[in-house]
Amino acid sequence: MVKKLAALDVNKCIGCMECMFACSRRVGRGGFDKSAIRVRSAGGIERGFVIIVCRACENPPCARVCPTGALRERTGGGVILDEEKCIGCVFCVQSCILGAIFWDNERNKPILCKYCGECEDYCVHNAIGLVDLNVGG
Amino acid sequence: MKAEDTKRVLSIDLTKKDIHIVERRDLFDEYLGGSGVAIKLLEEECKPGTDPLHASNPIIFAVGPLTALYPSASKTVAMFKSPLTGNLGESHCGGRSAMAIKLAGYGAIVIKGSSDLPVYLAVQGDAVHFRDASSIWGVEAHTAGRILREVEKGAGIRTIIRIGRAGEKLVRYACAVCETYRHFGRLGLGAVMGSKKLKAIVISADKSIEIPEATRREYKKVYDELHDVVVKTDAMEKYHDLGTSGKIYDLNKIGGMAYKNLESASAPEEIARELSGENFAEKLLSRRVSCSHCPIGCVHLASLRELYEPGYYFKTTTIPYDNEPIWATGFMLGLRSAEDCLRLIDIIDKSGMDVMSTGVLLAWATEAFEKGLLTTEQTNGLALKWGDVQVYAEAIQKIVEMPTEFYQNLAKGVEHASRVYGGQDYALAFGGNEMPEYHTGLACYLNNLTGARHSHLDSAGYDLDQKLMGKEFSLEEVVSALVQEEEWRQILASLVVCFFARKVYTADRIVKALNAVGIENWTAERLEDLGRVIHRAKMDFKFREGFSLAKLRIPKRIFEVPTPHGFLKEAEMRKAIAIYGRMIGREVPVMEQR
């Protein structure tokens, strides 16, 4: 079954950013400027947190607007980036109303969730996790 | 950026509205970061005898080599000369401050000078913007944060450190508020910022640290090991479930907690139940949050829903609570409900004062009022009374407004106020800093007296007292354990890891963690030695600024109320202080017993 990452219960999120740090750690970075997931407060910590990550939409707008075919639909859902084809036009970022496509300023390429689940391992409060693609979220 | 690139000090001059960025590998290589680097910078920047509220008093923020790289390395150290004690000022805070400073590319930030008009600073990588803060001068800490959140970029990846009105008005124990619910609480950083007309500092993270290719695999391995230990030690259960307030009920039960200005060392059972962490969690807890890069989530927020005007005008306020604020308001002021604690914590937080100092000060004032030492003439009409939350709320406002000389004196702390009005025997300050809650035995007070910050977190004497229950021990053993603990904590505070994760970061794990990010040549012995060096450097600063072990004032009250170890004796306490002096190479002249 094809997987995607999902916010399982945003009320359990404590805003520790472990998921963000885990994502950049995959590429040997301490920090989160290479991360495909973001957590921020929903306008003040008292209102809780917002978890922003690719939800692997059906018929994804980001793939549709990509002029070079660098972003294409993954079989079963979600998108795959072919970096060689990417010209850094930022159309994909503009097309994602969730704000779930981030930008790598050093490389001038988009940062997209690869649905690998690395971040899930560090979310000890079970706010996020991998789910089967046909299951809601 | 490389880890090496974060060994930079950003120096900001508020007088000249100018900045300099200097590489200081010499400092970071030798002293790690945090407290170690901060005390060296303080030595460089703060001349002997500096007036704490003068432009020449520097503010230093420092993070460490583990910041943004390992779990629970989430704290920032602030150092300055304290306007409360006239001596070493050091305060630690989490929130998002540490990761923001580090990932903006700095190991430390030094703020000097004083602005002619209110300003706030926006630090975005190498660019520092001086912005006019006239429109938010006079605005309470929470509102100032809310406004800056809107006008500055970087939501979610920045820190907003700001002061309330207390800081602007130079209340000597004003704090700096960080991410609304965290604080550089103790020793008056807020007043130092206020004296510089510095309302806030917004620092945004915009980089990451490249782990050397050669150690990447090892880095991930060490990270996982540390993460595993963090979430599996008792820290998780202890601090996430009920939070720091989880120990209140038990501490009260053993008679180890000052109640009503230490009229006794425990509150009545029904009060203890009402003010317990369990009761707060069940009745009022609304959310648990954490500092950046810490999976524990010890920060507990309560929701208080109140009808504030007839006609269904309700308001719901989110208020942080912790062990110390509950004690300083609830226990020290004889409040009767958890809701009353929250009301006072909220007012104190918004005005931007240290809740511990405020509680101790008002407790002294209440007792002095009860004893007829203070009158309504002085208090501007307020009849201070245990448990009267309304009167306390008004008193707090008056400390900020300072309508009379009395409140001007209260704004200088309990040491000062009691020197003016009397009642020193029950003015519960040590080294000029208002006491923490513990009345657990000899060690907690030795900690208060000899700790470099006069903070319970210096050497955790309260913890030692509880470990020594039912055991035989000599004064030498107690003093030696405290010195050792304080020395080791300098290392934790230089890395900088949260003290709640102290059991995770053992010397061996620290060495491994440093190696895995390319910081080599550290051993357990070298760390231990450095802990001692940093501790002595801090003490040297204190002695340079007039600190004297022989002249330490010990309020009589602590000898009049039994601790779980029985009554404490002044002669013994003085003897222990002398032993401490010898251990750190500072002979204490023999003083006549008072």
Side-chain angles (χ1 to χ4, degrees), chain B residues 9 11 40 95-96 114 116 126 194 236 252 261 268 270 282 359 376 378 385 411 432 468 535 537:
Chain B
V9 177
S11 214
K40 289 290 138 186
R96 288 178 182 153
S114 174
D116 46 352
D126 285 0
M236 198 71 198
N252 186 72
N261 205 38
E270 71 273 16
E282 277 159 30
T376 47
Q378 282 151 328
K385 196 167 125 242
L468 289 173
H535 175 250

Side-chain angles (χ1 to χ4, degrees), chain B residues 270-338:
Chain B
E270 71 273 16
I271 299 285
R273 279 196 190 284
E274 172 65 25
L275 303 183
S276 68
E278 289 81 354
N279 190 49
F280 268 85
E282 277 159 30
K283 260 205 318 199
L284 296 154
L285 176 62
S286 64
R287 192 175 293 283
R288 286 172 293 187
V289 301
S290 78
C291 298
S292 293
H293 216 168
C294 177
I296 295 173
C298 73
V299 184
H300 281 51
L301 304 179
S303 256
L304 184 65
R305 178 177 181 258
E306 291 176 294
L307 179 74
Y308 65 96
E309 216 176 85
Y312 304 111
Y313 286 100
F314 286 101
K315 63 172 179 179
T316 303
T317 318
T318 304
I319 303 156
Y321 67 87
D322 260 300
N323 166 41
E324 288 84 2
I326 293 174
W327 164 75
T329 56
F331 285 78
M332 269 313 242
L333 301 177
L335 304 186
R336 285 174 207 92
S337 74

Side-chain angles (χ1 to χ4, degrees), chain B residues 25-36:
Chain B
R25 287 180 194 203
D26 58 323
L27 285 186
F28 290 96
D29 287 347
E30 196 173 343
Y31 300 97
L32 292 171
S35 291

